PDB file of all heavy atoms in Angstrom:
ATOM      1  N   TYR B 139      34.577 103.643 -65.865  1.00 83.00           N
ATOM      2  CA  TYR B 139      34.095 105.020 -65.694  1.00 83.00           C
ATOM      3  C   TYR B 139      34.684 105.938 -66.749  1.00 83.00           C
ATOM      4  O   TYR B 139      34.009 106.790 -67.319  1.00 83.00           O
ATOM      5  CB  TYR B 139      34.464 105.506 -64.287  1.00 83.00           C
ATOM      6  CG  TYR B 139      33.929 106.878 -63.936  1.00 83.00           C
ATOM      7  CD1 TYR B 139      32.682 107.023 -63.327  1.00 83.00           C
ATOM      8  CD2 TYR B 139      34.678 108.024 -64.204  1.00 83.00           C
ATOM      9  CE1 TYR B 139      32.192 108.275 -62.989  1.00 83.00           C
ATOM     10  CE2 TYR B 139      34.189 109.280 -63.873  1.00 83.00           C
ATOM     11  CZ  TYR B 139      32.947 109.398 -63.269  1.00 83.00           C
ATOM     12  OH  TYR B 139      32.470 110.629 -62.942  1.00 83.00           O
ATOM     13  N   PRO B 143      31.257 105.033 -72.275  1.00 77.00           N
ATOM     14  CA  PRO B 143      30.445 106.253 -72.216  1.00 77.00           C
ATOM     15  C   PRO B 143      29.228 106.174 -71.296  1.00 77.00           C
ATOM     16  O   PRO B 143      29.058 107.011 -70.445  1.00 77.00           O
ATOM     17  CB  PRO B 143      30.007 106.467 -73.669  1.00 77.00           C
ATOM     18  CG  PRO B 143      31.003 105.745 -74.485  1.00 77.00           C
ATOM     19  CD  PRO B 143      31.487 104.597 -73.661  1.00 77.00           C
ATOM     20  N   HIS B 144      28.387 105.214 -71.414  1.00 79.00           N
ATOM     21  CA  HIS B 144      27.136 105.198 -70.656  1.00 79.00           C
ATOM     22  C   HIS B 144      27.285 104.556 -69.287  1.00 79.00           C
ATOM     23  O   HIS B 144      26.340 104.572 -68.508  1.00 79.00           O
ATOM     24  CB  HIS B 144      26.045 104.471 -71.451  1.00 79.00           C
ATOM     25  CG  HIS B 144      25.705 105.167 -72.725  1.00 79.00           C
ATOM     26  ND1 HIS B 144      25.117 106.415 -72.742  1.00 79.00           N
ATOM     27  CD2 HIS B 144      25.926 104.834 -74.015  1.00 79.00           C
ATOM     28  CE1 HIS B 144      24.970 106.795 -73.993  1.00 79.00           C
ATOM     29  NE2 HIS B 144      25.447 105.870 -74.786  1.00 79.00           N
ATOM     30  N   TYR B 145      28.464 104.082 -68.994  1.00 81.00           N
ATOM     31  CA  TYR B 145      28.680 103.423 -67.700  1.00 81.00           C
ATOM     32  C   TYR B 145      28.445 104.410 -66.551  1.00 81.00           C
ATOM     33  O   TYR B 145      27.830 104.072 -65.543  1.00 81.00           O
ATOM     34  CB  TYR B 145      30.098 102.845 -67.629  1.00 81.00           C
ATOM     35  CG  TYR B 145      30.427 102.199 -66.312  1.00 81.00           C
ATOM     36  CD1 TYR B 145      29.941 100.925 -66.005  1.00 81.00           C
ATOM     37  CD2 TYR B 145      31.216 102.855 -65.371  1.00 81.00           C
ATOM     38  CE1 TYR B 145      30.236 100.332 -64.797  1.00 81.00           C
ATOM     39  CE2 TYR B 145      31.510 102.247 -64.158  1.00 81.00           C
ATOM     40  CZ  TYR B 145      31.023 101.001 -63.880  1.00 81.00           C
ATOM     41  OH  TYR B 145      31.308 100.406 -62.675  1.00 81.00           O
ATOM     42  N   ARG B 146      28.924 105.647 -66.745  1.00 72.00           N
ATOM     43  CA  ARG B 146      28.781 106.643 -65.685  1.00 72.00           C
ATOM     44  C   ARG B 146      27.302 106.899 -65.380  1.00 72.00           C
ATOM     45  O   ARG B 146      26.890 107.015 -64.245  1.00 72.00           O
ATOM     46  CB  ARG B 146      29.382 107.969 -66.119  1.00 72.00           C
ATOM     47  CG  ARG B 146      30.854 107.929 -66.334  1.00 72.00           C
ATOM     48  CD  ARG B 146      31.356 109.314 -66.657  1.00 72.00           C
ATOM     49  NE  ARG B 146      32.639 109.239 -67.314  1.00 72.00           N
ATOM     50  CZ  ARG B 146      33.333 110.299 -67.679  1.00 72.00           C
ATOM     51  NH1 ARG B 146      32.859 111.507 -67.446  1.00 72.00           N
ATOM     52  NH2 ARG B 146      34.490 110.169 -68.278  1.00 72.00           N
ATOM     53  N   THR B 147      26.546 107.018 -66.451  1.00 71.00           N
ATOM     54  CA  THR B 147      25.121 107.325 -66.292  1.00 71.00           C
ATOM     55  C   THR B 147      24.412 106.199 -65.531  1.00 71.00           C
ATOM     56  O   THR B 147      23.598 106.459 -64.660  1.00 71.00           O
ATOM     57  CB  THR B 147      24.454 107.511 -67.670  1.00 71.00           C
ATOM     58  OG1 THR B 147      25.330 108.219 -68.514  1.00 71.00           O
ATOM     59  CG2 THR B 147      23.138 108.227 -67.541  1.00 71.00           C
ATOM     60  N   ILE B 148      24.749 104.961 -65.883  1.00 71.00           N
ATOM     61  CA  ILE B 148      24.079 103.816 -65.254  1.00 71.00           C
ATOM     62  C   ILE B 148      24.533 103.663 -63.812  1.00 71.00           C
ATOM     63  O   ILE B 148      23.737 103.406 -62.918  1.00 71.00           O
ATOM     64  CB  ILE B 148      24.387 102.508 -66.021  1.00 71.00           C
ATOM     65  CG1 ILE B 148      23.824 102.567 -67.440  1.00 71.00           C
ATOM     66  CG2 ILE B 148      23.836 101.294 -65.293  1.00 71.00           C
ATOM     67  CD1 ILE B 148      24.386 101.488 -68.352  1.00 71.00           C
ATOM     68  N   ASN B 149      25.830 103.835 -63.597  1.00 69.00           N
ATOM     69  CA  ASN B 149      26.400 103.435 -62.320  1.00 69.00           C
ATOM     70  C   ASN B 149      26.569 104.546 -61.302  1.00 69.00           C
ATOM     71  O   ASN B 149      26.841 104.286 -60.141  1.00 69.00           O
ATOM     72  CB  ASN B 149      27.770 102.780 -62.579  1.00 69.00           C
ATOM     73  CG  ASN B 149      27.861 101.421 -61.947  1.00 69.00           C
ATOM     74  OD1 ASN B 149      26.877 100.707 -61.833  1.00 69.00           O
ATOM     75  ND2 ASN B 149      29.048 101.068 -61.493  1.00 69.00           N
ATOM     76  N   GLU B 150      26.414 105.764 -61.760  1.00 66.00           N
ATOM     77  CA  GLU B 150      26.689 106.874 -60.853  1.00 66.00           C
ATOM     78  C   GLU B 150      25.560 107.037 -59.845  1.00 66.00           C
ATOM     79  O   GLU B 150      24.396 106.758 -60.164  1.00 66.00           O
ATOM     80  CB  GLU B 150      26.792 108.143 -61.689  1.00 66.00           C
ATOM     81  CG  GLU B 150      27.521 109.269 -60.994  1.00 66.00           C
ATOM     82  CD  GLU B 150      27.817 110.362 -61.990  1.00 66.00           C
ATOM     83  OE1 GLU B 150      26.857 110.880 -62.583  1.00 66.00           O
ATOM     84  OE2 GLU B 150      29.003 110.659 -62.194  1.00 66.00           O
ATOM     85  N   PHE B 151      25.904 107.510 -58.688  1.00 66.00           N
ATOM     86  CA  PHE B 151      24.885 107.780 -57.669  1.00 66.00           C
ATOM     87  C   PHE B 151      23.955 108.868 -58.219  1.00 66.00           C
ATOM     88  O   PHE B 151      24.399 109.923 -58.612  1.00 66.00           O
ATOM     89  CB  PHE B 151      25.549 108.241 -56.374  1.00 66.00           C
ATOM     90  CG  PHE B 151      24.561 108.462 -55.276  1.00 66.00           C
ATOM     91  CD1 PHE B 151      24.141 107.408 -54.482  1.00 66.00           C
ATOM     92  CD2 PHE B 151      24.013 109.715 -55.048  1.00 66.00           C
ATOM     93  CE1 PHE B 151      23.215 107.599 -53.468  1.00 66.00           C
ATOM     94  CE2 PHE B 151      23.082 109.904 -54.049  1.00 66.00           C
ATOM     95  CZ  PHE B 151      22.684 108.853 -53.259  1.00 66.00           C
ATOM     96  N   PRO B 152      22.637 108.630 -58.243  1.00 62.00           N
ATOM     97  CA  PRO B 152      21.704 109.599 -58.845  1.00 62.00           C
ATOM     98  C   PRO B 152      21.401 110.744 -57.890  1.00 62.00           C
ATOM     99  O   PRO B 152      20.354 110.764 -57.239  1.00 62.00           O
ATOM    100  CB  PRO B 152      20.465 108.741 -59.135  1.00 62.00           C
ATOM    101  CG  PRO B 152      20.499 107.681 -58.103  1.00 62.00           C
ATOM    102  CD  PRO B 152      21.944 107.403 -57.795  1.00 62.00           C
ATOM    103  N   PHE B 153      22.335 111.663 -57.808  1.00 58.00           N
ATOM    104  CA  PHE B 153      22.177 112.739 -56.834  1.00 58.00           C
ATOM    105  C   PHE B 153      20.947 113.573 -57.129  1.00 58.00           C
ATOM    106  O   PHE B 153      20.373 114.188 -56.241  1.00 58.00           O
ATOM    107  CB  PHE B 153      23.431 113.612 -56.780  1.00 58.00           C
ATOM    108  CG  PHE B 153      23.530 114.613 -57.894  1.00 58.00           C
ATOM    109  CD1 PHE B 153      23.030 115.899 -57.751  1.00 58.00           C
ATOM    110  CD2 PHE B 153      24.109 114.264 -59.096  1.00 58.00           C
ATOM    111  CE1 PHE B 153      23.116 116.825 -58.779  1.00 58.00           C
ATOM    112  CE2 PHE B 153      24.203 115.184 -60.133  1.00 58.00           C
ATOM    113  CZ  PHE B 153      23.708 116.469 -59.978  1.00 58.00           C
ATOM    114  N   HIS B 154      20.520 113.597 -58.406  1.00 56.00           N
ATOM    115  CA  HIS B 154      19.357 114.416 -58.745  1.00 56.00           C
ATOM    116  C   HIS B 154      18.069 113.812 -58.173  1.00 56.00           C
ATOM    117  O   HIS B 154      17.057 114.480 -58.061  1.00 56.00           O
ATOM    118  CB  HIS B 154      19.240 114.590 -60.269  1.00 56.00           C
ATOM    119  CG  HIS B 154      19.103 113.286 -61.000  1.00 56.00           C
ATOM    120  ND1 HIS B 154      20.173 112.432 -61.186  1.00 56.00           N
ATOM    121  CD2 HIS B 154      18.032 112.688 -61.553  1.00 56.00           C
ATOM    122  CE1 HIS B 154      19.745 111.368 -61.846  1.00 56.00           C
ATOM    123  NE2 HIS B 154      18.457 111.487 -62.077  1.00 56.00           N
ATOM    124  N   ILE B 155      18.119 112.538 -57.818  1.00 56.00           N
ATOM    125  CA  ILE B 155      16.964 111.890 -57.164  1.00 56.00           C
ATOM    126  C   ILE B 155      17.078 112.065 -55.656  1.00 56.00           C
ATOM    127  O   ILE B 155      16.106 112.353 -54.967  1.00 56.00           O
ATOM    128  CB  ILE B 155      16.910 110.384 -57.508  1.00 56.00           C
ATOM    129  CG1 ILE B 155      16.685 110.187 -58.999  1.00 56.00           C
ATOM    130  CG2 ILE B 155      15.824 109.682 -56.704  1.00 56.00           C
ATOM    131  CD1 ILE B 155      16.809 108.746 -59.449  1.00 56.00           C
ATOM    132  N   ILE B 163      24.837 115.827 -53.522  1.00 79.00           N
ATOM    133  CA  ILE B 163      26.103 115.183 -53.865  1.00 79.00           C
ATOM    134  C   ILE B 163      26.293 115.375 -55.366  1.00 79.00           C
ATOM    135  O   ILE B 163      25.360 115.155 -56.148  1.00 79.00           O
ATOM    136  CB  ILE B 163      26.071 113.682 -53.505  1.00 79.00           C
ATOM    137  CG1 ILE B 163      26.038 113.506 -51.990  1.00 79.00           C
ATOM    138  CG2 ILE B 163      27.285 112.969 -54.087  1.00 79.00           C
ATOM    139  CD1 ILE B 163      25.865 112.064 -51.532  1.00 79.00           C
ATOM    140  N   LEU B 164      27.451 115.804 -55.742  1.00 85.00           N
ATOM    141  CA  LEU B 164      27.757 116.011 -57.164  1.00 85.00           C
ATOM    142  C   LEU B 164      29.062 115.283 -57.482  1.00 85.00           C
ATOM    143  O   LEU B 164      30.019 115.358 -56.717  1.00 85.00           O
ATOM    144  CB  LEU B 164      27.908 117.509 -57.449  1.00 85.00           C
ATOM    145  CG  LEU B 164      28.289 117.921 -58.867  1.00 85.00           C
ATOM    146  CD1 LEU B 164      27.267 117.462 -59.889  1.00 85.00           C
ATOM    147  CD2 LEU B 164      28.474 119.443 -58.948  1.00 85.00           C
ATOM    148  N   THR B 165      29.072 114.552 -58.593  1.00 84.00           N
ATOM    149  CA  THR B 165      30.305 113.863 -59.011  1.00 84.00           C
ATOM    150  C   THR B 165      30.647 114.272 -60.439  1.00 84.00           C
ATOM    151  O   THR B 165      29.769 114.613 -61.231  1.00 84.00           O
ATOM    152  CB  THR B 165      30.155 112.331 -58.967  1.00 84.00           C
ATOM    153  OG1 THR B 165      29.066 111.949 -59.806  1.00 84.00           O
ATOM    154  CG2 THR B 165      29.893 111.831 -57.568  1.00 84.00           C
ATOM    155  N   GLY B 166      31.914 114.256 -60.732  1.00 88.00           N
ATOM    156  CA  GLY B 166      32.348 114.617 -62.079  1.00 88.00           C
ATOM    157  C   GLY B 166      33.861 114.715 -62.131  1.00 88.00           C
ATOM    158  O   GLY B 166      34.550 114.324 -61.191  1.00 88.00           O
ATOM    159  N   THR B 167      34.353 115.273 -63.239  1.00 90.00           N
ATOM    160  CA  THR B 167      35.807 115.395 -63.420  1.00 90.00           C
ATOM    161  C   THR B 167      36.190 116.868 -63.537  1.00 90.00           C
ATOM    162  O   THR B 167      35.520 117.628 -64.253  1.00 90.00           O
ATOM    163  CB  THR B 167      36.242 114.640 -64.692  1.00 90.00           C
ATOM    164  OG1 THR B 167      35.762 113.301 -64.611  1.00 90.00           O
ATOM    165  CG2 THR B 167      37.755 114.637 -64.853  1.00 90.00           C
ATOM    166  N   LEU B 179      33.867 121.810 -63.423  1.00 93.00           N
ATOM    167  CA  LEU B 179      33.657 120.354 -63.348  1.00 93.00           C
ATOM    168  C   LEU B 179      32.683 119.946 -64.442  1.00 93.00           C
ATOM    169  O   LEU B 179      31.711 120.656 -64.697  1.00 93.00           O
ATOM    170  CB  LEU B 179      33.081 119.995 -61.970  1.00 93.00           C
ATOM    171  CG  LEU B 179      32.755 118.525 -61.731  1.00 93.00           C
ATOM    172  CD1 LEU B 179      33.677 117.922 -60.684  1.00 93.00           C
ATOM    173  CD2 LEU B 179      31.317 118.348 -61.293  1.00 93.00           C
ATOM    174  N   ILE B 180      32.955 118.792 -65.048  1.00 91.00           N
ATOM    175  CA  ILE B 180      32.007 118.242 -66.015  1.00 91.00           C
ATOM    176  C   ILE B 180      31.415 116.963 -65.402  1.00 91.00           C
ATOM    177  O   ILE B 180      32.154 116.091 -64.944  1.00 91.00           O
ATOM    178  CB  ILE B 180      32.652 117.990 -67.398  1.00 91.00           C
ATOM    179  CG1 ILE B 180      31.595 117.546 -68.421  1.00 91.00           C
ATOM    180  CG2 ILE B 180      33.807 116.995 -67.340  1.00 91.00           C
ATOM    181  CD1 ILE B 180      32.060 117.629 -69.857  1.00 91.00           C
ATOM    182  N   ASP B 181      30.071 116.909 -65.365  1.00 86.00           N
ATOM    183  CA  ASP B 181      29.453 115.718 -64.743  1.00 86.00           C
ATOM    184  C   ASP B 181      29.138 114.655 -65.809  1.00 86.00           C
ATOM    185  O   ASP B 181      29.466 114.835 -66.988  1.00 86.00           O
ATOM    186  CB  ASP B 181      28.208 116.108 -63.923  1.00 86.00           C
ATOM    187  CG  ASP B 181      27.040 116.577 -64.768  1.00 86.00           C
ATOM    188  OD1 ASP B 181      27.059 116.370 -65.998  1.00 86.00           O
ATOM    189  OD2 ASP B 181      26.102 117.162 -64.202  1.00 86.00           O
ATOM    190  N   SER B 182      28.489 113.573 -65.401  1.00 79.00           N
ATOM    191  CA  SER B 182      28.260 112.444 -66.320  1.00 79.00           C
ATOM    192  C   SER B 182      27.288 112.801 -67.441  1.00 79.00           C
ATOM    193  O   SER B 182      27.241 112.152 -68.468  1.00 79.00           O
ATOM    194  CB  SER B 182      27.725 111.228 -65.547  1.00 79.00           C
ATOM    195  OG  SER B 182      26.484 111.559 -64.972  1.00 79.00           O
ATOM    196  N   LYS B 183      26.507 113.849 -67.202  1.00 80.00           N
ATOM    197  CA  LYS B 183      25.550 114.260 -68.251  1.00 80.00           C
ATOM    198  C   LYS B 183      26.162 115.352 -69.132  1.00 80.00           C
ATOM    199  O   LYS B 183      25.457 116.041 -69.858  1.00 80.00           O
ATOM    200  CB  LYS B 183      24.260 114.755 -67.590  1.00 80.00           C
ATOM    201  CG  LYS B 183      23.471 113.614 -66.960  1.00 80.00           C
ATOM    202  CD  LYS B 183      22.212 114.089 -66.275  1.00 80.00           C
ATOM    203  CE  LYS B 183      21.383 112.944 -65.743  1.00 80.00           C
ATOM    204  NZ  LYS B 183      22.099 111.999 -64.898  1.00 80.00           N
ATOM    205  N   GLN B 184      27.487 115.504 -69.006  1.00 85.00           N
ATOM    206  CA  GLN B 184      28.244 116.463 -69.816  1.00 85.00           C
ATOM    207  C   GLN B 184      27.854 117.914 -69.513  1.00 85.00           C
ATOM    208  O   GLN B 184      28.041 118.805 -70.340  1.00 85.00           O
ATOM    209  CB  GLN B 184      28.079 116.176 -71.336  1.00 85.00           C
ATOM    210  CG  GLN B 184      28.464 114.767 -71.742  1.00 85.00           C
ATOM    211  CD  GLN B 184      29.881 114.408 -71.348  1.00 85.00           C
ATOM    212  OE1 GLN B 184      30.833 115.086 -71.706  1.00 85.00           O
ATOM    213  NE2 GLN B 184      30.051 113.333 -70.582  1.00 85.00           N
ATOM    214  N   GLN B 185      27.311 118.133 -68.316  1.00 89.00           N
ATOM    215  CA  GLN B 185      26.997 119.505 -67.922  1.00 89.00           C
ATOM    216  C   GLN B 185      28.193 120.079 -67.176  1.00 89.00           C
ATOM    217  O   GLN B 185      28.789 119.406 -66.334  1.00 89.00           O
ATOM    218  CB  GLN B 185      25.768 119.535 -67.010  1.00 89.00           C
ATOM    219  CG  GLN B 185      25.340 120.949 -66.642  1.00 89.00           C
ATOM    220  CD  GLN B 185      24.160 120.984 -65.672  1.00 89.00           C
ATOM    221  OE1 GLN B 185      23.415 120.020 -65.545  1.00 89.00           O
ATOM    222  NE2 GLN B 185      24.010 122.106 -64.990  1.00 89.00           N
ATOM    223  N   ASN B 186      28.511 121.336 -67.479  1.00 92.00           N
ATOM    224  CA  ASN B 186      29.613 122.019 -66.788  1.00 92.00           C
ATOM    225  C   ASN B 186      29.112 122.731 -65.546  1.00 92.00           C
ATOM    226  O   ASN B 186      28.014 123.304 -65.543  1.00 92.00           O
ATOM    227  CB  ASN B 186      30.278 123.048 -67.732  1.00 92.00           C
ATOM    228  CG  ASN B 186      31.145 122.362 -68.767  1.00 92.00           C
ATOM    229  OD1 ASN B 186      31.248 121.149 -68.821  1.00 92.00           O
ATOM    230  ND2 ASN B 186      31.782 123.169 -69.598  1.00 92.00           N
ATOM    231  N   TRP B 187      29.924 122.685 -64.506  1.00 92.00           N
ATOM    232  CA  TRP B 187      29.605 123.359 -63.247  1.00 92.00           C
ATOM    233  C   TRP B 187      30.789 124.229 -62.836  1.00 92.00           C
ATOM    234  O   TRP B 187      31.944 123.843 -63.005  1.00 92.00           O
ATOM    235  CB  TRP B 187      29.364 122.336 -62.130  1.00 92.00           C
ATOM    236  CG  TRP B 187      28.169 121.456 -62.347  1.00 92.00           C
ATOM    237  CD1 TRP B 187      28.110 120.344 -63.110  1.00 92.00           C
ATOM    238  CD2 TRP B 187      26.883 121.637 -61.779  1.00 92.00           C
ATOM    239  NE1 TRP B 187      26.861 119.795 -63.071  1.00 92.00           N
ATOM    240  CE2 TRP B 187      26.079 120.569 -62.240  1.00 92.00           C
ATOM    241  CE3 TRP B 187      26.319 122.584 -60.924  1.00 92.00           C
ATOM    242  CZ2 TRP B 187      24.751 120.434 -61.891  1.00 92.00           C
ATOM    243  CZ3 TRP B 187      24.992 122.430 -60.571  1.00 92.00           C
ATOM    244  CH2 TRP B 187      24.212 121.366 -61.057  1.00 92.00           C
TER     245      TRP B 187
END
Side-chain angles (χ1 to χ4, degrees):
Chain B
Y139 185 90
H144 296 294
Y145 178 77
R146 295 184 200 182
T147 320
I148 296 165
N149 233 32
E150 200 168 59
F151 183 85
F153 79 92
H154 59 285
I155 296 172
I163 292 174
L164 177 60
T165 58
T167 306
L179 178 113
I180 186 165
D181 69 14
S182 62
K183 289 179 176 52
Q184 304 304 304
Q185 184 183 340
N186 285 1
W187 295 82

